Amino acid sequence: MTPQDRTRPYDTGYDGHDDASWQSSGTTWAAPPQQGGAYPESAAAYTAAPLAPRTPAAPSGAHLPAPSGGDGSVTGAGAGSGTGAAAPAKPGRDRYLDLLRAVALVRVVCFHLFGWGWLTVVFPSMGVMFALAGSLMARSLSRPAGSVIRGRLRRLLPPMWLFALVVVPAMFALSWKPVREEGLWWFVKLGSYILPLGSPPYPEESGSAGGWLELSWADQAAGPLWYIRAYLWFVLASPLLLKAFRRLPWVTLLAPVALTAVIGTGLVTVPGTFGEGLVDFAVFGACWVLGFAHHDGLLKQIPRYLAVSSAAIVMGFGLWWASGHLTAEGWNLDEIPLAQATWSLGFCAILLVYSPSWQKLPGRFAAWDSLVTLANNRAVTIYLWHNLLLMASAHLVDQLWAVPWFGDTFGTYIERSYEVLVLIAVWPLIGLAIMAFGWVEDVAAKRRPRLWPNGADRGRRA
C-alpha cells in the first residue's frame, strides 16, 4: 500500500498511546490514579512516581501557585499549616490537549467517510497527533530511555495484536494465499503485524463485490496501520532526537522539512516499504520535534507575535506549494508531502503557542467532557477500527432500501443524505467496538479493564 492509497475515503490519523502526564507552558502535572477515570497515555498511563511541577525557583518566603487537581480544584498550602510550604498538588490533566486529540479523531473519521481534501487543511489531524505525542514522549524521557520505549511498546502493540487477530484470519478465510503468490518471504512480512516496523501484508482484493466484506475491505482495514508504524519509528528514534534537539533545537526542528523536500517531492526516490516509512517519518518529524519544543518551554521563550507570524509564513509556503502540485483529490495535503509537512508544522505551532493549559474544559466545552475523556482513553481502539466500522455502517444504511414501504417512499432522501446517515450510524458501532475491544488498552497499561472509561466514576469519587 502506497502513501497515496491510504488517504482515500474509508482509509485512515492518534494518536496511539503517549504518556499520561501532560504538560503545558513548561509546567508538568503527574498522571492521575490508575483506577477508573484515569486516562491513557495519548491514551495510556505510566505508573511513575508523581513529578513536582516544573516551575521557576521562588524567592525565599514566596509561594508558587499549585496546578489544579484532576477535578479542577486548585491545591495549595494546607490551611493553618503555618509552615508556608505548599501541600502536594493533586494530579491534573491538560484538557486543552485532550480536546485537540478528540477533535483530531473525529476529523479523521469524517475525512475517511466524506473524502473532502480540504479537511486536511482545516485541521491537519495527523500533524496534531504527532505533535502531542512528541510532547509527551519528551516528558517520559526524563526516565531511562529503555524503560520508556518498552512502556510505549507495551501500550501500543496489544491493541494492534487484537486487531490483527480478528482481521488476518478473515483474510485467510476469504481465500488469501500469500505463500503461493509471494513464497516463504511472506512469513517475514507477516511479522509486521507483531512489530510494525514495515508495512503489514494484505490481499489487494478479498471478499466479494456487493457483499458485507467487499473487495477492498482488507485494504481499508490495513489503512490505519501506517500510523502505528510511523509512531513506532518516532518512539525508537526519540532518545537520539531529543538529545539532538536540546543541542541544536532549530536545526533538529527544520531538518525533517528539508528531508521532505528531498524525498517527498520526487527529487530522490527511496523504493519499497522502507521508502514509504521514511517519507512519513520526514513529513511528520517536524511536528514530533515541535512537541519537544512545547514540553521544554521553548515556544514560550519566543515572542508570541514572532512565533505566530513565522508559523503563518511556513503555512503560506505550504499552501503555495500545494496549489502548484494538486492531485486528482484536490487540496488533500496527504497527497502532497511537502505541503503537509509545512502546513502541519505551522498549524501545530500556533495551537501550542496559544495552549491555555485547561485543567477543566471551560464553558460550552464542559458538556463534552465525558466524550473527550472516552476518546482519549480509547484513542487507539477508535483509530484502528474506524475504517471497518465505516464500511459496516454503509452496509447498514443500504438495508434501509430493503425495508418494505420505507425504502420505496424515502429512497430519494436516503440517497441524498447517504453519507450523513453513515456518519450517524458509525458512532454507535464505534461505541460497541470500544466495549468489545477497548479493554485491551487497559490491560496493556496494567490497569483494571473498563468497558466505558468516560470519567464518570472519577466524578463520583470527587
Side-chain angles (χ1 to χ4, degrees), residues 14 31 44-45 64 84 95 101-102 157 170 196 203 213 219 239 248 271 273 280 296 311 314 351 376 391 427 433:
Y14 143 81
L64 295 175
R95 298 297 277 164
R101 174 167 291 112
L157 296 181
L213 289 177
D219 187 13
L248 298 169
T273 58
D280 293 333
D296 285 4
V314 173
L351 288 180
N376 277 267
M391 298 179 72
W427 298 113

Side-chain angles (χ1 to χ4, degrees), residues 146-282:
S147 66
V148 172
I149 292 175
R150 286 194 299 272
R152 284 294 191 278
L153 295 180
R154 192 183 73 242
R155 289 160 174 79
L156 178 68
L157 296 181
M160 178 184 171
W161 293 341
L162 180 59
F163 177 80
L165 191 62
V166 174
V167 170
V168 174
M171 295 177 184
F172 283 109
L174 294 172
S175 302
W176 185 32
K177 297 179 175 62
V179 177
R180 180 184 302 175
E181 299 168 0
E182 302 184 38
L184 295 179
W185 175 248
W186 172 83
F187 286 102
V188 177
K189 294 182 179 179
L190 189 64
S192 293
Y193 282 105
I194 300 174
L195 187 64
L197 293 174
S199 299
Y202 58 89
E204 292 295 334
E205 291 188 354
S206 181
S208 59
W212 278 92
L213 289 177
E214 60 187 39
L215 293 176
S216 66
W217 81 269
D219 187 13
Q220 304 300 340
L225 300 183
W226 78 268
Y227 179 82
I228 306 298
R229 177 193 63 200
Y231 180 79
L232 182 58
W233 280 36
F234 282 123
V235 166
L236 296 176
S238 281
L240 291 178
L241 281 177
L242 186 58
K243 288 182 180 179
F245 169 76
R246 287 173 175 168
R247 180 168 296 184
L248 298 169
W250 297 110
V251 172
T252 308
L253 178 63
L254 298 177
V257 177
L259 182 60
T260 304
V262 174
I263 66 173
T265 61
L267 185 63
V268 174
T269 301
V270 181
T273 58
F274 176 76
E276 295 176 11
L278 190 60
V279 170
D280 293 333
F281 187 86

